[in-house]
Amino acid sequence: SQQNKNLAIKARQQLIAKMSTLEEFQNDASVMYLKEKVQKTLQNFETSFEEQFHLVQERKRDERKKRVDKIVRVRKSFEHETRLLNRKIDERMQAIVAQTEDLRKRLNAGTHNND
C-alpha cells in the first residue's frame, strides 16, 4: 500500500513536471512564431480558397449567361426567320389566289364567249 502511494506521488510529480515543461514549451518565442506562421498560412489558404471559389462561381455564372444569351439569340433569329417565311407564304398564297381568280375569270369569259 505504501509502495502504491509512493508510485502515485511519483506519477503525479512526473505529470506536474511534464505540464510545466509543456507550458514553457508553449510560451517559447519560436513556438509562438511558428503558431502565428501556421495560423497566417491557414488564413491565407482559406482566403485564397474563398477567392478561387468565388472566381469559379463567377466563371460558371458567366458561362451560364453566355449559354442563355446564345439560346435567346438563336430563338430570336428563329422567330425572325419564321416571320419572314410566313410573310413569303402569305404572299405566295395571295399570288396563287389571284392567279386562281384570274384563271376562273378567263374560264368564265371563255365559256361565255363560246355561247
Side-chain angles (χ1 to χ4, degrees):
S1 178
Q2 185 64 37
Q3 194 179 5
N4 285 348
K5 211 180 218 180
N6 288 344
L7 281 175
I9 291 170
K10 196 173 188 177
R12 188 169 180 273
Q13 287 170 343
Q14 285 177 343
L15 191 62
I16 289 171
K18 279 184 182 175
M19 291 289 283
S20 61
T21 305
L22 263 177
E23 282 173 14
E24 285 172 26
F25 179 72
Q26 283 181 336
N27 293 331
D28 186 87
S30 63
V31 172
M32 295 298 280
Y33 170 76
L34 283 175
K35 260 187 181 176
E36 284 176 29
K37 196 169 175 138
V38 166
Q39 283 177 334
K40 278 182 184 169
T41 305
L42 191 62
Q43 283 174 344
N44 289 344
F45 172 76
E46 287 172 352
T47 302
S48 73
F49 177 78
E50 283 179 24
E51 287 170 358
Q52 289 298 316
F53 180 76
H54 288 302
L55 284 174
V56 167
Q57 291 301 96
E58 279 179 32
R59 202 174 305 126
K60 281 183 179 176
R61 210 173 304 123
D62 289 348
E63 287 172 8
R64 204 173 299 124
K65 188 182 180 321
K66 282 179 188 171
R67 282 198 304 270
V68 168
D69 289 350
K70 186 177 181 183
I71 289 169
V72 168
R73 271 197 317 276
V74 168
R75 195 189 79 222
K76 283 183 178 176
S77 171
F78 177 75
E79 288 171 351
H80 178 70
E81 292 294 322
T82 304
R83 279 194 299 274
L84 287 179
L85 278 173
N86 284 339
R87 193 176 307 139
K88 285 182 182 177
I89 289 170
D90 287 345
E91 288 170 4
R92 189 75 186 114
M93 288 295 286
Q94 287 171 356
I96 291 171
V97 167
Q99 285 176 338
T100 307
E101 288 298 315
D102 187 47
L103 283 173
R104 188 176 291 130
K105 283 178 187 173
R106 280 201 215 154
L107 269 172
N108 286 341
T111 52
H112 290 309
N113 287 344
N114 291 342
D115 281 349

